[in-house]
Amino acid sequence: MGVIRSFRKNFSDFFKKLFNKKNARIGIYGPPNAGKTTLANRILRDWTGDAMGSVSHIAHETRRARRREGVTIKSNGGSISLDIIDTPGLATKIDFHEFMELGMDEAESKRRAKEATEGVIEAVKWLENLDGVILVMDATEDPYTQVNVTVIGNMEARSLPLLIVANKVDLPESSPSTIRDAFPQHPMVAISALEGKNIDTFYDEIAKRFG
Amino acid sequence: MQGIQMDLVSEDRLAKMPPVEKIRFIIDEVKSGKILVLEKGLTPEEEATLIEMTMTQIQPDDFAGIEMESYPSQTDGSFLGKLFKKSPVRTRLTVIGPANKLKTLKKDRDMISALVSNK
């Protein structure tokens, strides 16, 4: 029996290696300023030693999708390899006046708004090419946004795995339980991407959902 | 009389339209200043397409985008829904308007509270 079992395992591993070389493509989505790039940077620093991109308190700092292939995450004795895609923040409206209120001149604000609209288009297109999504929500904000509803609806319609991240739990006004109550049908992990709080639980959930 | 036009769009009206025409209809109506209440709402894919197409229409000093809210979709748990798995998501009412005239004040699973401004 042992020989047969061993043969079966080797046969199975061979075919997995042969046909399953592609890493799962996991997109990091969410509204602007939820902490997507901070989380992407945290993942990359922990597992590859470098970073994905710069972060800012100004919305739409990430205006092009960034992809890092073959990020290997180890958890619970196993490891999974993923392609991580950090996407621009999804939004239904972009008003250049909001950038002006943050101190930018009109020309710069309009240029940034134009790039942000292109970033949203790119992020929506990426939705169709993913194997799963990490949806980052700001735990200090109302979770019932159209962006969250649209991303969750897309993943449900395609039966693809989704992990909700309630970010910024280092802030005293955060309320991750509000997010859990809003979307109880999906797994959620409460973290601080900035401080690394609860990050090991986050990696365990990644292994469970996308492994 | 000055005011804001609000159109309540029946499920039947949108069901007759192909997806692209449906999205085009919504954007054209909203850009003209109307607020739409869609009886059946949009599928998640249609919502994503609407966001994408809206971004192509944004013009500084003219059109800043849309405010859109809908109740979360529900999974079709009926026998036929499970059997065919082709339309497992049942969409619900959606409200869409120009971002400069419609503002969501509060939303939860079963209630959307919005402010309409004629500024």
Side-chain angles (χ1 to χ4, degrees):
Chain A
M1 280 298 281
V3 174
I4 293 172
R5 197 174 294 153
S6 172
F7 175 76
R8 270 190 191 156
K9 185 179 181 310
N10 289 341
F11 196 70
S12 165
D13 286 350
F14 170 76
F15 273 92
K16 272 185 188 167
K17 281 177 187 166
L18 192 64
F19 295 113
N20 199 26
K21 278 187 173 172
K22 180 177 75 68
N23 301 324
R25 284 162 302 187
I26 305 301
I28 302 178
Y29 275 75
N33 271 355
K36 297 179 293 301
T37 301
T38 304
L39 180 60
N41 285 343
R42 168 69 60 180
I43 295 170
L44 291 190
R45 283 198 184 109
D46 284 352
W47 301 106
T48 71
D50 55 7
M52 186 75 93
S54 60
V55 297
S56 164
H57 68 284
I58 299 172
H60 300 289
E61 176 67 17
T62 302
R63 299 186 291 284
R64 303 294 302 178
R66 300 183 186 111
R67 177 176 181 172
R68 180 61 62 90
E69 296 183 358
V71 178
T72 301
I73 293 174
K74 292 180 178 146
S75 174
N76 286 335
S79 72
I80 58 163
S81 196
L82 307 171
D83 293 347
I84 302 284
I85 297 115
D86 180 28
T87 64
L90 277 184
T92 60
K93 56 196 169 190
I94 294 173
D95 187 346
F96 78 93
H97 293 100
E98 290 177 10
F99 296 119
M100 291 180 73
E101 287 168 11
L102 295 167
M104 292 181 196
D105 64 36
E106 186 172 329
E108 169 67 8
S109 297
K110 286 181 176 174
R111 187 182 64 78
R112 197 176 178 103
K114 185 172 183 296
E115 289 175 359
T117 59
E118 290 166 357
V120 174
I121 292 169
E122 190 183 15
V124 172
K125 287 193 190 304
W126 263 107
L127 259 181
E128 296 167 10
N129 295 308
L130 297 172
D131 301 307
V133 157
I134 296 168
L135 178 56
V136 184
M137 301 185 194
D138 183 336
T140 67
E141 300 281 336
D142 179 4
Y144 286 104
T145 67
Q146 190 58 43
V147 166
N148 293 340
V149 168
T150 299
V151 174
I152 289 173
N154 264 273
M155 292 297 105
E156 287 176 346
R158 285 187 241 165
S159 300
L160 291 175
L162 169 79
L163 174 61
I164 296 174
V165 171
N167 191 26
K168 306 190 185 182
V169 295
D170 53 299
L171 300 178
E173 65 270 32
S174 72
S175 176
S177 60
T178 306
I179 294 174
R180 194 185 300 279
D181 293 345
F183 306 106
Q185 72 275 35
H186 293 288
M188 187 213 83
V189 58
I191 68 162
S192 165
L194 188 66
E195 297 185 353
K197 190 174 178 183
N198 222 13
I199 205 73
D200 289 336
T201 308
F202 169 65
Y203 293 135
D204 289 346
E205 286 295 332
I206 283 186
K208 266 191 227 165
R209 295 295 292 169
F210 307 121
Chain B
M1 186 175 74
Q2 275 199 331
I4 293 173
Q5 185 171 334
M6 183 178 288
D7 288 355
L8 312 180
V9 186
S10 73
E11 178 180 346
D12 291 346
R13 168 110 192 236
L14 285 187
K16 291 173 188 160
M17 298 180 185
V20 174
E21 190 183 327
K22 192 189 292 186
I23 301 300
R24 174 61 55 197
F25 164 78
I26 291 168
I27 290 181
D28 287 348
E29 295 292 277
V30 170
K31 279 186 79 179
S32 73
K34 292 179 192 170
I35 291 170
L36 303 179
V37 181
L38 313 183
E39 182 188 15
K40 191 187 176 206
L42 298 172
T43 66
E45 291 89 346
E46 288 169 341
E47 286 178 345
T49 305
L50 178 59
I51 292 171
E52 187 182 340
M53 286 188 68
T54 298
M55 289 297 129
T56 67
Q57 302 285 314
I58 288 179
Q59 293 290 333
D61 295 320
D62 184 28
F63 180 61
I66 60 173
E67 183 81 13
M68 171 169 66
E69 290 296 352
S70 54
Y71 299 126
S73 304
Q74 292 178 329
T75 305
D76 184 356
S78 69
F79 173 72
L80 285 176
K82 284 179 182 168
L83 187 65
F84 293 108
K85 287 191 173 177
K86 286 210 167 173
S87 53
V89 176
R90 194 165 60 231
T91 57
R92 302 162 78 199
L93 179 143
T94 298
V95 185
I96 308 167
N100 64 340
K101 290 187 176 170
L102 181 67
K103 180 177 166 54
T104 304
L105 296 178
K106 186 173 176 295
K107 182 189 172 191
D108 60 30
R109 187 163 287 277
D110 299 303
M111 171 92 173
I112 296 169
S113 181
L115 178 71
V116 178
S117 164
N118 197 18
K119 275 199 299 186

